[in-house]
Amino acid sequence: MSAVSTPSDTSAAAGPPSPARRDAETTKAAILRAARHLLARQAHADITLKAVAERAGVSAPLVLKYFGNKDALFARVMSFEEDADALLDAPLARLGAHMVRHVVASQRERGADPVLRIAFAPLHGDHGDVLRANFRTQVTERLAARLAGPDRGIRAELAVATVLGLGVMFGIARGSELGAAPTEHIVERYGPTVQAHLDGP
């Protein structure tokens, strides 16, 4: 006789995730952060799973357990899908301010930038081509599809370039004045520059 779902079964299934699941998600997130950090500083060929594991504070076998192999791990790291979801998550009329706020908050709270790793594509040979292709389809073309009016493609690329410049000054050049400025002050000054490209003529 087949099992029949009951309301209590449904309630249990919809309940909060178990501690084991939360721990697994936390560990996977730490591994991905470590891989992104290394990808922004070393050539893909020079990065080992051991180095990723050490930076994440886990064992190399655990990296294999969650991601299978190095190629599978870096396929995730080279995707901008989830980052673009957060970066572009605002109405178009307020998107410029949101993008600036999100970049600054990501730098300050996580020590990471949602899209800045595209700047390191030349380090990665053929994998750099994958990074560029993902960036094009998942970030700039996705943004362009939301815009109205003429020249949507170049306006999207200019808006993203403007945000990338902010990320370079904040996270790589580490401008002291920028680093000390309140987030909303940066948003007020820089957001309109990004928004001007989004709005177009």
Side-chain angles (χ1 to χ4, degrees):
M1 185 177 199
S2 61
V4 177
S5 295
T6 65
S8 60
D9 292 332
T10 303
S11 175
S18 68
R21 178 169 176 77
R22 285 197 297 270
D23 288 346
E25 293 303 316
T26 300
T27 300
K28 284 192 266 188
I31 292 168
L32 288 170
R33 280 197 304 272
R36 286 191 180 103
H37 176 89
L38 293 172
L39 191 70
R41 290 157 178 81
Q42 300 177 34
H44 176 274
D46 296 334
I47 302 171
T48 64
L49 287 180
K50 180 181 177 183
V52 173
E54 287 177 351
R55 178 158 189 88
V58 302
S59 66
L62 200 57
V63 178
L64 292 173
K65 174 185 174 182
Y66 287 132
F67 295 98
N69 56 43
K70 178 179 171 178
D71 287 342
L73 170 60
F74 280 93
R76 285 282 302 274
V77 173
M78 290 186 179
S79 172
F80 293 91
E81 199 78 53
E82 292 179 12
D83 295 305
D85 286 345
L87 181 67
L88 304 179
D89 185 23
L92 190 57
R94 300 196 303 273
L95 187 55
H98 170 79
M99 291 170 76
V100 171
R101 186 179 294 109
H102 181 66
V103 166
V104 174
S106 296
Q107 291 275 7
R108 285 185 165 154
E109 295 168 13
R110 298 188 291 116
D113 187 288
V115 291
L116 188 56
R117 62 189 181 280
I118 188 59
F120 302 96
L123 284 175
H124 304 302
D126 291 343
H127 290 90
D129 293 336
V130 174
L131 203 61
R132 291 185 191 94
N134 288 345
F135 187 82
R136 186 180 311 113
T137 58
Q138 296 168 357
V139 182
T140 55
E141 290 179 1
R142 178 176 170 182
L143 176 58
R146 292 187 57 186
L147 304 183
D151 302 322
R152 292 181 298 170
I154 191 167
R155 284 161 47 210
E157 290 185 0
L158 286 170
V160 173
T162 305
V163 172
L164 280 169
L166 175 64
V168 168
M169 180 54 72
F170 201 105
I172 297 177
R174 297 183 182 175
S176 58
E177 297 294 326
L178 186 61
T183 297
E184 289 307 310
H185 182 64
I186 299 170
V187 172
E188 288 171 9
R189 295 181 70 107
Y190 207 73
T193 304
V194 180
Q195 191 67 43
H197 295 304
L198 300 175
D199 292 341

